[in-house]
């Protein structure tokens, strides 16, 4: 009973810690993005509230919370209401399986630095990311607006298409770790990160994860100069905020996934593992912001063609070649 | 606790499916069905099939149902009025069938000693499943993958634009 | 030389045929022509090289095992013996000359590759007959020459009559082939082997009645290929083919295949006196029949065709009289002079501007090159049997054999032979006078004669005229070389006193002279063709086509009509239609079930499932779950 | 977790009946297809339960194969749905009776 209680408390503590860190990181990523984009476009970005604009996220939250929560007249009310939450929820739940540090020895116990080390962790993340699709699709559909629906369908087609390439890009990673567990995947990269072992997989992964997260240059579902704001055109107040925050939580998730799958997780010299982990996540997030600041948006059919005719065949080829190489190495 | 969870999930599954099949709006039906599939996936997990559970979510909820949604949205299907009340011809086979199916199951549960035995405590690691799939069942996997290929070609052919004059 | 290299003799033409068939139209014309000629000439050269292997019991070569099933072991084997060697030499030699002639003859035709391929293929098939060691190879060649002959007669198939003539030849010879096939299968059933030599060796063990039937079957088979009565109607029509084809197939080689077949099976056939008499009778009837027909023909090639039938009839008579050597001697000389005559006739037709009718020719001796006249005349005197020519000696040998036969019936055949000789001399010189003498009566413009069409005539003329020297009878100081060569295969020894021989020679010379004189008297000046019933009757070949039509085609047609209208349409179709109507009316009732509505089908599916489930439930209740 | 094998079967049977009901009663092709999916999942549940009952891997293998086959089936079926929609602008199953006898 004592043991059960302790582990329950531990899980709660870990959950709280992760929630706090992730939400804070998401909030400040918004600020970081605005500032970095500002710098790239030769302007300052938010700098009025707090030192260097550090309190800006707080003000944004207050503003969104106090705005009217408007539901369009002919919308499908219940779906409209719960769709944004789905996006944020799916992103948050992904962290349950992300290991951010080696197991910690505390009070004579081994405490794994992960909420739950599922042995199918990778598939778990996949399942949640496919759940996240529903947030976008249902939100867009329920708004009962032309642009929302267009955005939703774009998002759906794009997510379904690129999820395939994403999954195939991770097959070599699983092959070299011989496990779906994220912990095992990180452990397998003790010598050198997968980035060096599977560079093609990394490139495919990065491209498809960009499409998966609907970020520039693959932000067709919310392309503001084509379809207003896509699936969240009709949203306002905190529900828009949930979409918005969900997107930045997602950015953190992507950073964590990239770190775990390709950058060697918490492995690194000199600095404590947790610091390495956070640094790597932030670096990946910076890459995405950088891409947003410097890349144009392709046409929609080009996007689909690229996904189906280039990325997926390439990923398949990569799986075959990596499999053959690892077979040859083992025998 | 997990035993109770299994029954709760089963009831959620049945309830969600019941809601699904009675919805007039196909989008609602799909949402209920996805909820049901989640419950089913968790049941699979409880029955010691983590990999199947994950695939249930990824394939059924993440791909197949999404495709249904996509088609519904693309065709802009409005909630369909039921054209006519179901006559006895439609209910009768169903009622008889359901009754006899349930009767079969109940008989099995009551009569067959095997059905009363407990199931549980079984856990199949993904690796073992993968070894079985690509070892003993490699031929089946090949056949299924060919079927997928043919289905892709078939879907592509069906999806081409209609020749002029065939459109009504 | 290795025995197994014998295969090169037939395979060389086959190889060239295949090459021409596959690539002929893509290769230069010269290449196709040269290859076709080379293939046959090579076979000729090889035959000369292998000549020594034929002595004694000959040599046998096995290429591969064709069929091996149970006790049957048939190999693709060739047998190069004393009977086959001269025939092979003749076939390849004459074919070489004819190929050369054909190069000139076909120089304006665009379809040369098909022509030469078929021609080469024909030579291959003919060699397969001649060299066959067993019945299967023989039959392969037998059918092969039929096929090639069909393709070559109908070579200009765009004209309907040519295609029809090819079909007719194919079908009529097929009647004979059926009998041959029966004979071959029966022989196999009796002796358990297909080897010709083995069958001949075991022939004495077969019961006499069966031997008669077998011999008659072989005879009928031979009749088909050799255009003997009653299967003779195809040969005259076969003249629709190109002239080299007529020369090769319908004069020198294919029509003699029947004679060769009978010679091959001579040990078997000679066991039965009845069969021998039948062979002689058929030969005699054909000889006189064809000779009478030839007297009334108007087309030059048809005259020659009928004369061929007549001469082959002589060869049959020789076989029937028991002298294989005599038959083969006449076969060889006939091949030379008849090929010569056909090739010269081709030149004549060229000169007359594609005119076939001899009554529209005349004076060609002055119009054309003079050597053509001499070549044609050489062939003609051989055919007419003027003394000292090859034809004279070979024909005389046959008449002698007939005359000296112990059976008195053979005197009748001898008489027919003598009368035929008279007719032969008459129509031959009728042809010569009508074509070469007098003034030109036609309207056609002569074509140029290529050199290649002229000079192959000379070797043949030489062989025809001097062919007798190979086999001069003893009493005129000759050595009877051919008889000695054949040795045990030569058949009956023809023995007669010198007085009888001199008497017969004198008679033959007189008859030839008489025929010439009669023709001279009748056709020295031009006379238009007779228009009386007799000549019409002869012109149509004794109405043989009409007879066949009456006797076979019409009864067969009416029987077929009865089968079609009576049995098939009324009885069978009626029954089946009735059944079908019944079924389709049931079907119409069942069709009501297929509403095309998905929901109907699904609920039907549910009902079916319900039945299954009910059965399962019943079993569960009864069996207590197990 | 310990439950009787029969209970898992009972859940599967109930799920199957629900799917069958959907197939037989609904008239819209998409809903019929959804009914088919439900029935397939009922079958999967039986497979997984049997796999746990006999402690064998085969049942789960079959579920994986079943999913792949379902994916193929859905791809073709939905392509046909789109095709039918383009033909008649409706998805009521009984409208398509062009194959009646």
């Amino acid at each position: 009973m004592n043991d059960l209680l302790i582990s329950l408390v531990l899980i709660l503590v870990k959950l709280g810690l992760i929630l706090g860190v992730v939400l804070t990181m998401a909030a400040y990523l918004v600020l970081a993005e605005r500032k970095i984009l500002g710098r790239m476009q030769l302007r300052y970005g938010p700098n009025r509230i707090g030192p260097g604009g550090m309190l800006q996220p707080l003000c944004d939250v207050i503003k969104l919370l106090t705005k009217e929560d408007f539901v369009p007249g002919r919308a499908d009310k219940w779906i409209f209401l719960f769709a944004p939450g789905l996006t944020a929820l799916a992103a948050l739940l992904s962290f349950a399986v992300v290991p951010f540090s080696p197991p910690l020895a505390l009070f004579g116990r081994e405490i794994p630095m992960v909420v739950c080390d599922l042995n199918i962790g990778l598939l778990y993340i996949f399942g949640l990311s496919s759940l996240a699709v529903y947030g976008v699709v249902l939100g867009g559909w329920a708004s009962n607006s032309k642009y929302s629906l267009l955005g939703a369908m774009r998002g759906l087609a794009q997510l379904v298409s690129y999820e395939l390439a994403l999954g195939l890009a991770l097959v070599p990673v699983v092959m070299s770790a011989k496990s779906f567990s994220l912990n095992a995947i990180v452990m397998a990269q003790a010598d050198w990160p997968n980035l060096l072992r599977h560079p093609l997989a990394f490139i495919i992964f990065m491209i498809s994860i960009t499409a998966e997260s609907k970020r520039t240059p693959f932000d067709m579902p919310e392309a503001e100069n084509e379809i207003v704001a896509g699936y969240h055109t009709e949203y306002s107040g905190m529900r828009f905020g949930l979409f918005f925050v969900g997107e930045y939580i997602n950015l953190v998730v992507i950073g964590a996934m990239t770190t775990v799958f390709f950058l060697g997780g918490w492995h690194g010299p000199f600095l404590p593992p947790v610091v390495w982990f956070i640094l790597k996540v932030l670096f990946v997030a910076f890459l995405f912001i950088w891409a947003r600041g410097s890349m144009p948006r392709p046409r929609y059919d080009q996007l689909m063609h690229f996904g189906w005719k280039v990325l997926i065949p390439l990923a398949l080829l990569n799986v075959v070649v990596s499999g053959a190489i690892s077979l040859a190495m083992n025998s | 606790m997990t035993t109770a969870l299994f029954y709760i999930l089963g009831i959620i599954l049945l309830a969600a499916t019941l809601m699904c099949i009675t919805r007039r709006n196909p989008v609602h039906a799909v949402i209920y069905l996805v909820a049901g599939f989640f419950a089913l996936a968790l049941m699979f997990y409880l029955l010691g099939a983590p990999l199947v559970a994950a695939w249930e979510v990824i394939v059924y909820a993440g791909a197949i149902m999404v495709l249904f949604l996509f088609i519904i949205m693309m065709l802009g299907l409005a909630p369909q009025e039921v054209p006519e009340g179901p006559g006895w011809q439609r209910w009768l086979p169903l009622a008889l069938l359901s009754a006899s199916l349930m009767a079969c199951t109940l008989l099995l549960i009551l009569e067959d000693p095997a059905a009363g035995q407990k199931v549980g405590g079984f856990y199949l690691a993904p690796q073992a499943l993968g070894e079985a799939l690509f070892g003993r069942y490699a031929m089946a996997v090949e056949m299924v993958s060919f079927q997928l290929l043919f289905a892709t070609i078939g879907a592509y052919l069906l999806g081409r634009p209609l020749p002029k004059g065939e459109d009504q | 030389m290795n025995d197994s290299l014998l295969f090169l003799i037939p395979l060389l033409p086959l190889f060239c045929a295949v090459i021409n068939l596959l690539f002929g139209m893509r290769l230069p014309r010269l290449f196709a022509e040269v290859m076709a000629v080379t293939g046959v000439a090579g076979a000729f050269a090889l035959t000369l090289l292998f000549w020594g292997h034929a002595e004694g019991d000959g040599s046998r070569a096995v290429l591969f095992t064709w069929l091996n099933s149970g006790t049957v072991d048939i190999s693709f084997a060739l047998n190069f013996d004393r009977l086959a060697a001269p025939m092979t030499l003749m076939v390849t030699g004459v074919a070489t000359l004819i190929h050369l002639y054909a190069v000139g003859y076909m120089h304006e035709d665009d379809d040369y590759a098909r022509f030469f391929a078929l021609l080469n293929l024909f030579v291959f098939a003919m060699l397969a007959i001649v060299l066959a060691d067993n019945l299967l190879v023989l039959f392969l060649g037998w059918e092969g020459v039929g096929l090639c002959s069909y393709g070559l007669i109908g070579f200009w198939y765009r004209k309907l009559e040519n295609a029809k003539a090819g079909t007719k030849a194919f079908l009529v010879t097929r009647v004979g082939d059926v009998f041959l096939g029966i004979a071959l299968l029966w022989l196999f059933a009796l002796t358990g082997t297909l080897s010709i030599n083995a069958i001949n060796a075991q022939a004495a063990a077969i019961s006499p009645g069966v031997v008669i039937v077998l011999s008659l079957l072989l005879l009928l088979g031979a009749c088909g290929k050799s255009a003997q009565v009653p299967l003779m109607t195809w040969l005259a029509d076969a003249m629709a083919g190109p002239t080299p084809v007529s020369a090769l197939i319908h004069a020198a080689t294919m029509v003699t295949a029947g004679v060769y077949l009978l010679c091959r099976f001579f040990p078997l056939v000679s066991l039965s006196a009845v069969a021998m008499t039948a062979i002689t009778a058929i030969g005699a009837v054909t000889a006189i029949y064809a000779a009478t027909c030839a007297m009334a023909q108007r087309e030059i090639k048809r005259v020659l065709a009928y004369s061929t039938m007549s001469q082959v009839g002589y060869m049959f008579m020789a076989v029937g009289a028991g002298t294989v050597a005599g038959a083969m001697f006449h076969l060889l000389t006939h091949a030379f002079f008849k090929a010569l005559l056909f090739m010269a006739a081709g030149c004549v037709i060229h000169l007359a501007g594609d005119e076939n009718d001899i009554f529209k020719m005349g004076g060609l001796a002055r119009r054309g090159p003079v050597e053509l006249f001499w070549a044609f005349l050489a062939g003609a005197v051989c055919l007419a049997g003027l003394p000292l020519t090859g034809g004279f000696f070979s024909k005389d040998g046959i008449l002698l054999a007939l005359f000296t036969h112990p059976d008195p019936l053979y005197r009748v055949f001898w008489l027919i032979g003598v009368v035929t000789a008279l007719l032969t001399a008459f129509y031959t010189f009728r042809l010569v006078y009508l074509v070469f003498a007098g003034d030109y009566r036609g309207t056609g413009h002569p074509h140029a004669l290529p050199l290649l069409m002229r000079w192959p005539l000379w070797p043949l003329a030489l062989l025809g005229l001097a062919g007798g020297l190979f086999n001069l009878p003893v009493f005129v100081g000759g050595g009877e070389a051919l008889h000695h060569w054949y040795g045990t295969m030569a058949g009956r020894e023809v023995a007669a006193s010198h007085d009888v021989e001199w008497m017969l020679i004198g008679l033959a010379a007189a008859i030839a002279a008489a025929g010439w004189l009669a023709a001279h008297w009748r056709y020295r000046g031009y006379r238009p063709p007779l228009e009386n019933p007799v000549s019409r009757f002869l012109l149509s070949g004794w109405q043989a086509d009409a007879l066949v039509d009456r006797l076979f085609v019409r009864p067969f047609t009416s029987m077929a009509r009865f089968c079609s209208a009576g049995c098939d349409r009324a009885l069978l179709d009626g029954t089946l239609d009735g059944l079908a109507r019944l079924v389709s009316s049931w079907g119409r009732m069942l069709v009501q079930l297929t509403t095309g509505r998905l929901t109907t089908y699904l609920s039907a599916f549910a009902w079916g499932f319900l039945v299954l489930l009910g059965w399962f439930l019943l079993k569960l209740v009864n069996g207590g779950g197990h | 977790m310990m439950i009787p094998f029969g209970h898992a079967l009972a859940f599967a049977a109930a799920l199957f009946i629900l799917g069958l009901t959907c197939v037989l009663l609904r008239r819209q092709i998409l809903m019929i297809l959804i009914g088919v999916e439900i029935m397939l999942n009922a079958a999967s549940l039986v497979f997984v339960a049997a796999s746990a009952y006999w402690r064998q891997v085969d049942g789960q293998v079959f579920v994986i194969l079943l999913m792949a086959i379902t994916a193929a089936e859905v791809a073709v079926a939905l392509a046909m749905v789109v095709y039918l929609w383009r033909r008649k602008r409706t998805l009521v199953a009984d409208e398509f009776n062009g194959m009646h006898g």
Side-chain angles (χ1 to χ4, degrees), chain C residues 5-13 43 46-47 50 80 88 127 131:
Chain C
L5 288 176
L6 270 176
F7 278 101
L8 289 174
I9 297 176
L11 288 191
L12 210 56
L46 280 169
T47 313
F50 278 110
F80 190 65
T88 313
L127 289 172
L131 294 170

Side-chain angles (χ1 to χ4, degrees), chain B residues 2-3 6-7 10 13-14 17-18 20-23 29 33 37 40 44 46-49 52 55-56 60 64 67-68 71-72 75 77 80 84 90-91 94 97-98 101-102 105 109 114-122 124 129 132-133 136-137 140 144 147-148 151 155 158-162 166-168, chain D residues 1-11 13-18 20-22 24-28 30-31 33-34 37-38 40-41 44-45 48-49 51-53 55-58 60-72 74-76 78-83 85-88 90-92:
Chain B
T2 46
T3 312
F6 183 84
Y7 288 104
L13 166 65
L14 293 184
T17 312
L18 188 65
C20 159
I21 67 173
T22 51
R23 290 309 90 186
L33 195 61
F37 284 161
L40 187 63
F44 286 165
L46 289 180
L47 284 168
V52 174
W55 282 118
E56 174 83 13
Y60 271 106
I64 293 179
L67 273 185
F68 270 93
I71 296 300
I72 292 167
L75 305 183
L77 293 183
Q80 193 93 41
E84 64 213 54
R90 308 187 68 187
W91 281 102
L94 183 67
L97 204 55
S98 312
L101 195 59
M102 258 359 254
T105 320
I109 293 169
Q117 282 179 12
K118 302 279 180 166
V119 170
F122 174 66
L124 185 71
L129 184 58
L133 202 56
R136 216 156 14 119
Y137 289 95
V144 168
Q147 189 164 12
L148 272 168
L158 279 170
R160 284 182 311 174
L162 288 179
E166 254 188 83
D167 209 340
Q168 294 206 352
Chain D
M1 185 207 71
M2 290 307 251
I3 52 148
F5 182 40
H7 290 189
L9 290 187
F11 273 124
L15 190 60
F16 187 85
I17 286 171
L18 286 175
L20 198 62
T21 311
C22 188
L24 289 183
L25 294 188
R26 297 303 297 252
R27 306 227 158 165
Q28 205 200 38
L30 266 174
M31 289 310 291
L33 284 175
I34 283 177
E37 298 307 314
I38 294 171
L40 283 168
N41 272 287
S44 302
L45 180 56
V48 172
S51 169
Y53 175 66
R55 298 178 168 273
Q56 292 287 325
V57 68
D58 305 61
Q60 297 189 16
V61 169
F62 273 103
V63 176
I64 300 281
L65 296 179
L66 189 65
M67 281 177 193
I69 291 170
T70 309
V74 166
V76 176
L78 289 180
M80 286 175 77
V81 163
V82 174
Y83 184 78
W85 175 262
R86 286 196 297 201
R87 295 293 294 244
K88 288 210 170 174
T90 177
L91 284 184
V92 177

Side-chain angles (χ1 to χ4, degrees), chain C residues 170-488:
Chain C
F170 197 63
L171 290 179
V172 174
T173 52
R174 189 53 21 101
V175 176
D177 294 352
V178 170
F179 293 112
L180 178 69
I182 296 172
L184 299 189
L185 289 177
W186 198 351
L187 279 172
F188 176 63
L190 284 173
T191 61
T193 174
L194 280 178
S195 164
I196 293 172
N197 288 335
I199 287 173
N200 279 333
Q202 296 180 34
I206 303 173
S207 72
V210 175
V211 168
I212 293 178
V213 181
L214 274 175
S215 307
L216 290 179
L217 285 171
L218 286 173
L219 171 63
L220 276 168
C223 281
K225 271 288 179 273
S226 294
Q228 298 295 293
V229 174
L231 299 173
M232 69 295 183
T233 52
W234 63 272
L235 184 62
D237 288 345
M239 293 303 128
T243 299
V245 173
S246 306
L248 180 61
I249 297 181
H250 308 119
T253 53
M254 189 177 96
V255 288
T256 60
V259 181
Y260 184 77
L261 177 79
L262 292 175
C263 293
R264 263 271 166 243
F265 282 103
F266 189 75
L268 175 86
V269 174
S270 59
L271 288 175
S272 154
V274 179
M276 294 295 271
T277 314
I279 293 171
T280 321
I282 286 210
V285 169
T286 311
I288 185 99
Y289 157 79
T292 54
C293 293
M295 294 207 310
Q297 295 304 314
R298 301 182 50 157
E299 287 175 24
I300 180 165
K301 281 171 73 179
R302 284 178 90 95
V303 175
L304 295 176
Y306 276 112
S307 83
T308 306
M309 283 159 67
S310 179
Q311 297 304 309
V312 176
Y314 271 112
M315 297 170 209
F316 269 59
M317 283 199 275
V319 175
T323 166
V324 173
M328 291 306 290
F329 182 33
H330 195 54
L331 194 158
L332 296 175
T333 53
H334 171 256
F336 298 138
F337 68 71
K338 191 51 66 70
L340 164 66
L341 276 172
F342 265 112
M343 283 153 64
C347 297
V348 165
I349 292 168
H350 255 59
L351 281 180
D354 282 342
E355 179 57 69
N356 269 317
D357 193 340
I358 49 176
F359 286 94
K360 292 186 181 151
M361 294 181 185
L364 288 182
R366 285 189 299 280
R367 263 171 81 89
V370 74
E371 73 258 32
L372 175 65
F373 169 67
W374 289 113
F376 195 94
L377 194 64
V381 295
C382 286
L383 176 60
L386 282 194
L388 303 182
T389 61
F392 173 79
F393 286 114
S394 58
K395 197 186 285 180
D396 186 57
I398 293 171
L399 289 175
L400 180 67
L402 285 170
F403 188 78
T404 58
H405 200 279
D407 190 339
L409 189 60
Y410 278 73
R411 292 291 169 90
V412 180
F413 298 140
W414 171 78
L415 201 62
I416 294 175
V418 170
V419 175
T420 307
L422 179 66
L423 297 178
T424 307
F426 175 74
Y427 70 68
T428 308
F429 285 108
R430 164 180 178 267
L431 188 64
V432 172
Y433 277 110
L434 279 174
V435 171
F436 290 101
D439 300 320
Y440 183 59
R441 298 179 292 275
T443 50
H445 294 285
H447 295 209
L449 274 183
L451 207 59
L452 270 179
M453 282 175 70
R454 291 202 299 221
W455 76 255
L457 304 179
W458 294 113
L460 285 175
L462 200 66
L463 280 168
L465 285 173
L469 297 177
F470 294 121
N471 198 26
L472 276 182
V474 182
F475 64 92
V476 291
E480 293 208 312
L482 204 61
H483 283 80
H484 289 302
W485 167 260
Y486 284 127
T488 53

Side-chain angles (χ1 to χ4, degrees), chain A residues 301-323:
Chain A
D301 60 318
Q302 289 171 337
L303 172 82
M304 295 304 281
H305 278 253
F306 181 69
W308 283 102
K309 296 182 179 169
V310 179
L311 223 47
I312 292 177
L314 210 60
L316 278 171
L317 191 72
N318 185 35
V319 168
V320 173
V321 171
S322 311

